[in-house]
Amino acid sequence: LAKTTQPISMDSYEGQEVNITCSHNNIATNDYITWYQQFPSQGPRFIIQGYKTKVTNEVASLFIPADRKSSTLSLPRVSLSDTAVYYCLVGGAGRRALTFGSGTRLQVQP
Amino acid sequence: DAGVIQSPRHEVTEMGQEVTLRCKPISGHNSLFWYRQTMMRGLELLIYFNNNVPIDDSGMPEDRFSAKMPNASFSTLKIQPSEPRDSAVYFCASSFGSPLHFGNGTRLTVT
C-alpha cells in the first residue's frame, strides 16, 4: 500500500494561509493524490485531487512537485469553520486508493 | 442530490444482538464502500462493491460481519452477534470513479 505521512496536528489563526504537506515516497506512476476533509460527526468530504503540478478549485490548491513524492494542500485565508481533520490518499485503483491514514487535525483559532 | 443516506444515525444494542446498518448510495454511482472509524484505528475500509458485486472484503474483521448489496440503490452491513468492541462509527460511501461521497455515518454502541 502507498504509505502517506502527514503532521498529526497544526494550529493556525483566522485569515492565514495553511499548508499541509503529505509525504508519499512510494507513489506509483498511475497514482493520483486525493485530499478529504472531515468534520466531527460527519463523513469525510472530497476537497481536491491531482496528478502533477498544480490544481486549484474554489476551496483549495494542491501543489505536487515533479518527483511527486510529496504534495501540499493549501487553504487560503482559513476561517474557524476550516477546523477539521484533513486526509491525504494516494492510489490509482483498488484498496490502495481507498486507504485513509491518520490525517492532520487542523485547529483554527480566532 | 440527497447524498448518501445511512440509517439509523445512532444504534444502541446489547452484546449478542444482531445489528443491521443500511445505506442508500447516490443514484448513478456504481461503487459502494463500507468503512468503520474508531479513535484507536482511524478509518478502516471493510468492504467495497462494484456494480453490486463484492470486490474486496479483506477488511471485514471476522465472520460476524457480513455485507450485501441486493441492488444498485441499497446495501446492508450486518453484525451478528454484536460485541462491545464493534462500537464505532460506520460510514457508507459511494462513487462513480473518483472521488468518494460519504454518508454521515451510523454511530453504533454495543453494551
Side-chain angles (χ1 to χ4, degrees):
Chain A
L1 293 175
K3 180 175 171 57
T4 60
T5 303
Q6 303 176 232
I8 294 174
S9 64
M10 295 182 68
D11 292 310
S12 183
Y13 292 94
E14 282 191 294
Q16 290 189 331
E17 178 184 77
V18 171
N19 296 309
I20 305 173
T21 296
C22 178
S23 173
H24 30 81
N25 290 320
N26 59 344
I27 189 169
T29 302
N30 59 352
D31 284 348
Y32 279 79
I33 301 155
T34 310
W35 286 79
Y36 291 85
Q37 173 192 55
Q38 186 178 25
F39 298 114
S41 302
Q42 294 185 25
R45 184 181 71 161
F46 170 78
I47 301 175
I48 198 166
Q49 184 179 67
Y51 182 79
K52 62 179 179 180
T53 63
K54 177 183 174 182
V55 179
T56 297
N57 61 23
E58 65 277 7
V59 176
S61 294
L62 179 59
F63 298 93
I64 306 168
D67 66 5
R68 303 200 327 122
K69 292 184 184 300
S70 67
S71 59
T72 298
L73 174 72
S74 181
L75 304 172
R77 298 180 297 282
V78 294
S79 64
L80 296 176
S81 62
D82 292 315
T83 294
V85 179
Y86 293 82
Y87 296 95
C88 160
L89 277 70
V90 173
R95 179 166 285 272
R96 293 182 72 249
L98 305 169
T99 300
F100 284 76
S102 302
T104 297
R105 187 174 299 276
L106 173 65
Q107 180 70 50
V108 180
Q109 310 274 7
Chain B
D1 182 358
V4 175
I5 300 173
Q6 293 187 245
S7 64
R9 282 285 275 145
H10 302 274
E11 177 80 37
V12 180
T13 191
E14 292 184 347
M15 183 174 64
Q17 297 298 306
E18 177 180 294
V19 175
T20 299
L21 311 181
R22 297 173 175 79
C23 175
K24 177 178 170 57
I26 294 172
S27 177
H29 283 189
N30 64 345
S31 297
L32 184 138
F33 312 82
W34 282 101
Y35 282 85
R36 177 174 68 176
Q37 187 171 37
T38 61
M39 288 292 292
M40 291 297 294
R41 301 176 68 88
L43 268 164
E44 302 174 276
L45 176 64
L46 300 178
I47 184 172
Y48 71 94
F49 297 81
N50 275 355
N51 298 316
N52 312 339
V53 176
I55 301 301
D56 184 339
D57 66 353
S58 61
M60 296 286 263
E62 45 197 275
D63 292 344
R64 298 184 298 107
F65 286 69
S66 62
K68 294 182 179 180
M69 192 165 185
N71 56 62
S73 59
F74 184 66
S75 178
T76 59
L77 178 67
K78 184 178 294 186
I79 308 172
Q80 166 63 18
S82 58
E83 297 183 2
R85 59 190 168 128
D86 302 330
S87 297
V89 181
Y90 290 81
F91 289 105
C92 175
S94 70
S95 74
F96 184 78
S98 182
L100 304 177
H101 296 260
F102 283 79
N104 282 329
T106 295
R107 180 174 295 278
L108 173 65
T109 303
V110 183
T111 61

